[in-house]
Amino acid sequence: MDIKSIIVQSYEIGPIGETENPRHGSGNTTLLEAGGKKYVAKCNERPDFIRTYAQAQVYLEQEGLRHPRLVKTRATAWMTPEGVALYEFVEGETVDIFSSSQLTTALKYLRRYNQTLKQVPLAQDDLEFRNHWDQARSLPFLVSELPSFLATADIPDKFKAVINVALASFAPLQQALSANKQLIHADPGPGNFLLSGDEIVAIIDFTPDYNHQFYSLAQFVYWTHLWPGAGINRDALDYYLIQYLGEKVTDSDRLLFFYFLIYAALFRVTGPLLDCLQRDGDVTRLSKRVEVLAQLVGMVNKI
């Protein structure tokens, strides 16, 4: 059954007009209009992610934070049996790279957003452990199981060396990295912020995780700073922390955040690495991700 038929069958939103597949994204999204309103339909959504988002949107609305609101089906469910979820469309623009003023605003907004998500009651087991990306975000898996997996994996020695050094560097901090967990948005890159000029309209493409808020900030810095190729040093770490926290940075905050950056970069390597090895074994496409991780590993004794 096509997406339009599923929407007509499952939702009471009126006759559907034109549909459109956006040029960017993962290919599971359809834009549509019905009853004078715009919607976003997404296929293959995870029930645990949708349940969590449905909880989160209550708190986001209480705090006045706009977001793509989930629409209930005729059966008052948050998604269809086919795995389709429908969201109200929020107008706004996205950018590939923030301007300096947009960057400052985005950091402050992300802090408010994650502080709101902290109120959402969530337990570790509420998010299922079902694929390679779930393994990659699991600190126990990374520290305890990944090293032995790498020992026999058919990947370049450089990849193994960089990953093993990263694991060894933060293994002693496992307890600190596991503390103060809450619901966070775990993929807040520039493309997931809707803007109107320099103002943030909303954060979209909610990717839930149960982790420290510094992990969310680390993923933000990964996409806005490390991925475009900017160098990282103490001054850069302090800038992001000061803008995010709105207060003076302590040595312990800086150190903890730095290791969350390694954690985030390791996640960005490990998830697709496990996928590649299961599919076609071609890990060459991960070279840039490994280089980003290597850059961080090279800073271990300089923070």
Side-chain angles (χ1 to χ4, degrees), residues 217-248:
L217 177 60
Q219 294 289 357
F220 178 91
V221 174
Y222 183 93
W223 291 123
T224 61
H225 190 95
L226 295 172
W227 189 252
I232 194 75
N233 54 33
R234 282 172 61 103
D235 289 342
L237 292 175
D238 285 356
Y239 167 79
Y240 284 104
L241 280 170
I242 289 170
Q243 296 302 321
Y244 181 81
L245 295 173
E247 59 190 37
K248 185 178 179 181

Side-chain angles (χ1 to χ4, degrees), residues 39-151:
Y39 299 90
V40 177
K42 291 188 176 183
C43 303
N44 304 316
E45 294 286 80
R46 285 179 52 163
D48 55 332
F49 283 15
I50 295 299
R51 286 194 303 269
T52 302
Y53 186 61
Q55 285 182 282
Q57 70 178 5
V58 174
Y59 294 85
L60 294 170
E61 289 171 5
Q62 288 174 353
E63 295 297 325
L65 292 168
R66 290 192 68 192
H67 62 283
R69 183 180 295 137
L70 273 170
V71 180
K72 282 189 174 181
T73 68
R74 284 193 175 92
T76 68
W78 290 118
M79 62 189 298
T80 74
E82 297 86 0
V84 174
L86 189 67
Y87 304 81
E88 294 180 356
F89 181 80
V90 178
E91 294 281 357
E93 301 293 330
T94 60
V95 296
D96 294 326
I97 300 176
F98 289 124
S99 69
S100 58
S101 56
Q102 288 170 342
L103 179 59
T104 299
T105 305
L107 284 162
K108 296 181 185 302
Y109 193 96
L110 181 62
R111 165 72 169 179
R112 183 184 172 199
Y113 191 91
N114 280 330
Q115 286 298 101
T116 299
L117 294 182
K118 188 176 183 179
Q119 304 173 52
V120 181
L122 187 76
Q124 182 81 56
D125 293 342
D126 289 340
L127 297 176
E128 299 169 8
F129 197 86
R130 56 195 288 179
N131 59 35
H132 291 145
W133 291 97
D134 295 327
Q135 288 180 299
R137 66 182 172 83
S138 165
L139 194 60
F141 170 81
L142 293 175
V143 173
S144 302
E145 299 180 41
L146 186 57
S148 58
F149 172 82
L150 289 175

Side-chain angles (χ1 to χ4, degrees), residues 130-303:
R130 56 195 288 179
N131 59 35
H132 291 145
W133 291 97
D134 295 327
Q135 288 180 299
R137 66 182 172 83
S138 165
L139 194 60
F141 170 81
L142 293 175
V143 173
S144 302
E145 299 180 41
L146 186 57
S148 58
F149 172 82
L150 289 175
T152 58
D154 183 18
I155 61 176
D157 290 341
K158 179 182 178 181
F159 283 25
K160 291 183 181 182
V162 171
I163 295 171
N164 280 322
V165 172
L167 291 169
S169 70
F170 73 51
L173 295 174
Q174 187 172 358
Q175 184 173 356
L177 291 171
S178 298
N180 299 317
K181 290 188 174 185
Q182 62 164 87
L183 175 61
I184 60 168
H185 191 312
D187 191 26
N192 288 340
F193 284 77
L194 292 181
L195 298 112
S196 176
D198 289 344
E199 297 302 313
I200 306 299
V201 176
I203 294 179
I204 59 175
D205 288 342
F206 185 66
T207 304
D209 199 354
Y210 184 65
N211 212 321
H212 194 288
Q213 63 175 319
F214 279 3
Y215 185 73
S216 178
L217 177 60
Q219 294 289 357
F220 178 91
V221 174
Y222 183 93
W223 291 123
T224 61
H225 190 95
L226 295 172
W227 189 252
I232 194 75
N233 54 33
R234 282 172 61 103
D235 289 342
L237 292 175
D238 285 356
Y239 167 79
Y240 284 104
L241 280 170
I242 289 170
Q243 296 302 321
Y244 181 81
L245 295 173
E247 59 190 37
K248 185 178 179 181
V249 177
T250 66
D251 289 341
S252 59
D253 278 342
R254 183 188 303 110
L255 185 64
L256 185 61
F257 175 54
F258 173 70
Y259 281 98
F260 269 108
L261 269 179
I262 295 179
Y263 188 176
L266 188 59
F267 167 82
R268 294 292 165 191
V269 171
T270 304
L273 174 65
L274 296 175
D275 265 351
C276 286
L277 291 176
Q278 184 181 61
R279 293 176 184 176
D280 57 17
D282 180 13
V283 299
T284 57
R285 71 194 74 168
L286 306 180
S287 295
K288 183 177 178 179
R289 293 172 183 254
V290 175
E291 289 300 327
V292 171
L293 181 59
Q295 179 188 357
L296 288 169
V297 166
M299 291 289 297
V300 165
N301 296 319
K302 301 176 184 179
I303 300 300

